[in-house]
Amino acid sequence: MLVLVGAAVVVACVLGGFVLSHGQILALWQPYELLIIAGGALGAFLSANPPKVVKAALADAVGLLKGPKYKKQDYVDLLSMLYDLFGVIRKEGLLGVEEHIEDPQSSSLFSAYPRLLREHHLIEFTTDCLRLMVGGSMNPHELEQLLDVELETHHHEALAPALAVTKMADALPGFGIVAAVLGIVTTMSQLDGDTSRIGMHIAGALVGTFLGILLCYGFIGPLGAAMENRVQEEGKAFECVKIALLASLRGYNPKVSVEFARKALASHSRPRFQDLEEHLKAPRAKAAT
């Protein structure tokens, strides 16, 4: 929602300042200049990126309107799910989780967290890591290196749409200059005409430069930055899983392993220790009765 609020503030301040300085708002309405700039930038965006990145960029832009992908309750559920997994490992050994990781959709453990179960990439990352722990006989240092490589690859793929949008934003001032140059060409071809029309053409050409810069720094550039921030925020869930699994492999008990993971979360999304403690105790208290 802040994306829309920010865009509204940009429009209000830029156009409001222009009008208050006695500018004519209709002078900025240059649809052909906008066609050159927006159409050229869109065409370059489609030429530079594969279809997968184009679709992901559209999905990520729409996703910004929905707020953060993982909220505080989602992190509580994630930590609880990890705690349950570590509890099984502590009681039955690593082989005890094998039936759960082979088919998470039918697992009673994973099914207890339906919201997380819909996050296929996160669940796949978790189960793949557990498979390595079950059958790989890897020490924590080796597993950490492997997980770092996987997280880097995932982060690079997730960041590609945001980088593509940012590059398109960087191209907008250039297309604004193209529109301005074409406007000057039109003006030069009508030098023998009415001076008022010549002035209108020059103004239109300058508006082309203005629109290119405004779209870059006022709209598309911030959109790309917001998409990048969202990717960084979503990566915390994967980092959380990695830290918890490594702590468990190093021999820490489930509560300590989960606490290591909780510490990796940002302060605004990190559940309090007391809240997490109560959440972990509640289902087990019910089960005991």
Side-chain angles (χ1 to χ4, degrees), residues 140-154:
H141 181 68
E142 292 173 332
L143 182 61
E144 184 175 13
Q145 287 183 325
L146 184 59
L147 295 185
D148 284 340
V149 171
E150 184 173 356
L151 285 178
E152 184 179 355
T153 301
H154 177 271

Side-chain angles (χ1 to χ4, degrees), residues 200-212:
M200 290 175 58
H201 285 299
I202 293 177
L206 294 175
V207 168
T209 303
F210 158 75
L211 287 176

Side-chain angles (χ1 to χ4, degrees), residues 84-94 96-97 130 133 248:
D84 290 344
L85 286 168
F86 298 152
V88 174
I89 293 174
R90 191 174 183 85
K91 292 178 181 178
E92 306 176 23
L94 283 171
V97 298
L130 287 169
M133 292 170 60
S248 177

Side-chain angles (χ1 to χ4, degrees), residues 73-141:
Q73 183 57 46
D74 294 320
Y75 287 117
V76 171
D77 289 343
L78 178 60
L79 294 173
S80 300
M81 183 184 74
L82 292 170
Y83 182 83
D84 290 344
L85 286 168
F86 298 152
V88 174
I89 293 174
R90 191 174 183 85
K91 292 178 181 178
E92 306 176 23
L94 283 171
L95 292 178
V97 298
E98 193 169 11
E99 61 176 301
H100 298 288
I101 63 179
E102 289 302 323
D103 188 8
Q105 299 297 325
S106 60
S107 164
S108 58
L109 192 153
F110 285 104
S111 298
Y113 305 95
R115 165 70 179 89
L116 292 177
L117 198 58
R118 293 195 294 269
E119 298 297 328
H120 301 296
H121 291 299
L122 183 61
I123 295 298
E124 183 179 358
F125 176 74
T126 305
T127 54
D128 285 350
C129 294
L130 287 169
R131 286 191 186 95
L132 289 173
M133 292 170 60
V134 171
S137 300
M138 304 178 72
N139 62 51
H141 181 68

Side-chain angles (χ1 to χ4, degrees), residues 244-264:
L245 291 175
L246 288 174
S248 177
L249 189 59
R250 289 187 174 104
Y252 291 100
N253 65 55
K255 283 189 177 181
V256 175
S257 299
V258 167
E259 179 62 16
F260 279 7
R262 189 185 72 87
K263 292 291 187 183

